[in-house]
Amino acid sequence: MRSFGPGGTGDGPERSRRDPLTGTLAERVSALLGREVRRAARAGSSHDWTLSYAELADGTRLFVKSLARGAEPTGVLVAEARGLEWLGRCFGSPAIAPLGWDSHLLVLPWIEQREPTPAAADRLGRQLAGTHLTGADGFGADWTGYIGPLPLDNTPSRDWPRFYAEQRLRPYLRQALDQGALTPADARAVEKVVDSVEELAGEPEPPARVHGDLWNGNVLWRERDAVLIDPAAHGGHREADLAMLALFGLPYLDRVRDAYNEVAPLSSGWRGRVALHQLHPLLVHVCLFGAAYRTTALEAARTAYRAG
């Protein structure tokens, strides 16, 4: 059983009373939250940041992400915190709310994980539908985005096909080519999709309030429900979150989807667009992990194009 997590109210950089690069981790978290931290211990690392556990003097346990000492802040932790807060402004949102953050630290509640249950899956489906229906002002967001450690162009747009083609597909196709993870011949299969998104997208939908990186690992199951962590939140297409849940497999996915459909029925033809929405995260994986994801990304591109 893994135990770690997210949740709370973000207080922002103004709460930090010391240079975030000085002191022990416990002292830095204490300064950020304005509460005594009894201890903190490193738990591992992910991408460019360190993962740690901390405990307040009253026994409350915390999960902490921190950038390495001397690291130039990229904005990745601030983007995650702002995304969690934005998702949390929905009634019954399943997203964890941050306890506090600055450019070097992000503090979240510790989540005691349990085995998933059908009832928790039903609740997650309904909550995700409610979050999506809360909507967004447009496609994108008013903060610089990240997906994992990679920048994510959140420049607002009113046109989802153009937004998806130019801000979610083309940048990562270009990066994969530059890195040599995809060949020019590979790129042509993806470019067909990029050039045809308008025809492949289905009926227009209003901007949904999406998690943006909703793979199985970002769903933490609790006793009666599930919570969502590590978003790349933005105004997007609601089918993208559901497609990503399917990409790497989620327990009781059919239950989640059925409960979702009871609240916010998916548009006709959504099954044929799953590969289209999976292409973006697969290109991100190609950029992060190399050619190991090349075949899967190309299969998604060909499937998405054929479906149109």
Side-chain angles (χ1 to χ4, degrees):
M1 180 188 303
R2 293 178 298 167
S3 296
F4 65 107
T9 57
D11 295 310
E14 68 275 8
R15 290 295 302 274
S16 182
R17 298 195 298 269
R18 67 165 73 228
D19 184 330
L21 293 179
T22 65
T24 65
L25 180 63
E27 291 170 337
R28 293 162 64 197
V29 174
S30 179
L32 180 66
L33 299 183
R35 301 178 66 182
E36 181 185 350
V37 175
R38 181 160 54 197
R39 60 188 173 206
R42 179 169 174 166
S45 61
S46 177
H47 299 299
D48 299 328
W49 47 86
T50 297
L51 310 177
S52 303
Y53 302 126
E55 186 175 302
L56 297 178
D58 65 4
T60 300
R61 290 179 291 177
L62 310 171
F63 183 73
V64 183
K65 289 185 174 183
S66 58
L67 297 185
R69 292 177 183 276
E72 191 68 28
T74 61
V76 64
L77 299 183
V78 173
E80 181 176 339
R82 292 193 65 183
L84 286 169
E85 281 214 321
W86 184 67
L87 292 170
R89 293 185 201 130
C90 309
F91 179 75
S93 169
I96 282 299
L99 294 169
W101 75 89
D102 60 23
S103 59
H104 286 78
L105 290 176
L106 173 60
V107 183
L108 308 160
W110 175 309
I111 300 301
E112 289 286 354
Q113 293 191 73
R114 297 290 185 263
E115 290 299 315
T117 65
D122 292 345
R123 184 172 182 184
L124 175 60
R126 292 190 294 269
Q127 289 178 310
L128 185 61
T131 301
H132 288 170
L133 289 175
T134 301
D137 293 335
F139 299 105
D142 63 359
W143 60 85
T144 300
Y146 283 83
I147 184 162
L150 299 182
L152 193 65
D153 184 358
N154 275 342
T155 304
S157 172
R158 293 288 177 183
D159 181 331
W160 184 79
R162 180 175 295 276
F163 172 82
Y164 190 62
E166 301 301 330
Q167 295 170 233
R168 291 298 182 265
L169 296 182
R170 202 180 297 278
Y172 304 99
L173 172 59
R174 187 179 302 118
Q175 182 172 335
L177 274 169
D178 291 345
Q179 292 174 184
L182 293 181
T183 68
D186 295 336
R188 285 193 284 276
V190 179
E191 285 167 350
K192 286 182 178 180
V193 178
V194 174
D195 294 340
S196 305
V197 170
E198 191 164 342
E199 291 75 36
L200 302 176
E203 292 298 315
E205 292 213 1
R209 190 165 299 213
V210 301
H211 179 283
D213 192 11
L214 197 53
W215 70 289
N216 178 34
N218 286 341
V219 178
L220 306 186
W221 299 95
R222 299 190 296 192
E223 189 111 1
R224 296 181 179 85
D225 62 4
V227 294
L228 307 182
I229 61 169
D230 295 352
H234 63 280
H237 200 301
R238 63 197 182 110
E239 291 175 7
D241 275 350
L242 293 165
M244 196 160 184
L245 284 176
L247 181 57
F248 298 113
L250 179 80
Y252 300 112
L253 177 58
D254 287 345
R255 299 282 303 234
V256 171
R257 201 157 43 209
D258 289 347
Y260 182 100
N261 266 307
E262 291 175 5
V263 178
L266 291 165
S267 298
S268 174
W270 67 267
R271 292 183 187 276
R273 295 186 291 272
V274 169
L276 173 66
H277 292 290
Q278 290 178 341
L279 184 54
H280 166 239
L282 285 169
L283 287 174
V284 169
H285 275 69
V286 172
C287 293
L288 288 175
F289 305 113
Y293 283 92
R294 169 185 171 271
T295 299
T296 309
L298 293 179
E299 286 175 355
R302 292 175 183 128
T303 299
Y305 188 73
R306 285 196 302 268

